[in-house]
Structures are given as C-alpha cells and as structure tokens.
Amino acid sequence: MSAEPVWRGVFPGTLDGIAEAGRWIESLSTEEGFPEDLTFGVQLCVEELFANLVRHGGGLWEKGSAAGAAPVRMTIGMSRQGDELAVVLEDDGAPFDVAAAQPRPVEGTLETVQPGGLGIQLVNKFSSGLAYERVDGVNRTTLKFLWPTSEFSLL
C-alpha cells in the first residue's frame, strides 16, 4: 500500500485557536473531498477535545486573559489509511487521559439535561477508536474515524 497524505496544523490553545482549527479542518476536508458526515464527526470531536484543553489544560479561555503568557499549543495531524482516518491531537497542557475518563451519566430528557460534561459521550459516539498516551510532557490523543463507503448518512 502506498503512503497516504498526512496533514498537520498547529494552533494556539485559545478560543481563537479552536475556531482556527475548525476552519482548517473544513478547508482541508473540502480540498481533499472528505465525506460530509466524516468532516462533521472530526470537527465535533476535535473542537470538543480542544475546548477541554483550553478550558482545563492550561489554555486561555478568556479573551485577553494572562496577557503576555504563552498558551499551550495544539497540534493536529491527520492521515488516511484505506477506509480509516486517523486524527492525532498533541498538546503540551496538563495531563488528561480522555480514553480512561468515564462518561457522565445522562439523566432526563434532552430538553432537561444540563449542558456541559457530555464531550466524552460525543467523542465516543462519532469516533471509531480512541487512545491516549503521555510522552515527554506531551498529551497524545488518537482518534480513528471510519471513512464512509456509501451515501448512507446517520446525520
């Protein structure tokens, strides 16, 4: 099998960095012809994990806060191998093993559930695999997504 393309982007651990990463994924998806369902799942999962980094891992959640401080960084790498897309998120923030985290139980209906804390469920729902490791002070989270082979949509 020939080597598949690898795409990589580096973003500051800020609110603007989350938005920039979302635009990068959208642009890359359009250029490379990613299926719409795949793009949606990748964006949702990446934005959720990136927001957790910014909010809890040492990023800058408030615009203008910690003026002059260097925020953590998020590096996103993607590669396709056959019918699978691997998305690797690397950051230099506080350690957090999202793969070992227990999803918060959802009680009640969609209309009554309190927002927040449901990101792990979303990541598990939209990705087909999730792994975490911490190497030399860097969090590395690997998400796998199945490349749709038909026009069937779950959205």
Side-chain angles (χ1 to χ4, degrees):
M1 175 184 272
S2 63
E4 299 288 342
V6 175
W7 306 282
R8 180 179 158 93
V10 180
F11 309 94
T14 62
L15 291 173
D16 288 340
I18 297 169
E20 184 182 338
R23 289 188 299 272
W24 177 76
I25 292 168
E26 182 69 36
S27 175
L28 176 65
S29 296
T30 300
E31 289 171 18
E32 299 297 329
F34 288 16
E36 191 174 308
D37 289 357
L38 177 66
T39 300
F40 177 81
V42 169
Q43 281 185 302
L44 181 74
C45 292
V46 167
E47 288 176 5
E48 175 61 36
L49 294 175
F50 201 158
N52 286 343
L53 168 69
V54 173
R55 182 167 228 157
H56 307 292
L60 299 179
W61 187 251
E62 301 287 331
K63 284 189 178 252
S65 65
V72 296
R73 264 188 349 206
M74 173 68 80
T75 301
I76 304 170
M78 290 194 270
S79 62
R80 180 178 179 189
Q81 295 181 343
D83 66 349
E84 191 171 70
L85 181 72
V87 178
V88 179
L89 307 172
E90 294 181 328
D91 69 76
D92 52 354
F96 177 65
D97 184 351
V98 68
Q102 293 298 311
R104 187 183 94 189
V106 178
E107 298 174 7
T109 65
L110 185 58
E111 292 79 22
T112 62
V113 71
Q114 292 297 310
L118 300 176
I120 294 169
Q121 287 96 321
L122 290 173
V123 169
N124 287 326
K125 164 94 173 128
F126 284 92
S127 67
S128 60
L130 173 63
Y132 170 85
E133 62 183 335
R134 183 146 173 107
V135 179
D136 297 327
V138 174
N139 297 305
R140 182 177 300 135
T141 303
T142 302
L143 299 164
K144 302 282 183 150
F145 296 88
L146 295 178
W147 196 278
T149 55
S150 71
E151 293 300 315
F152 178 75
S153 175
L154 294 175
L155 296 179

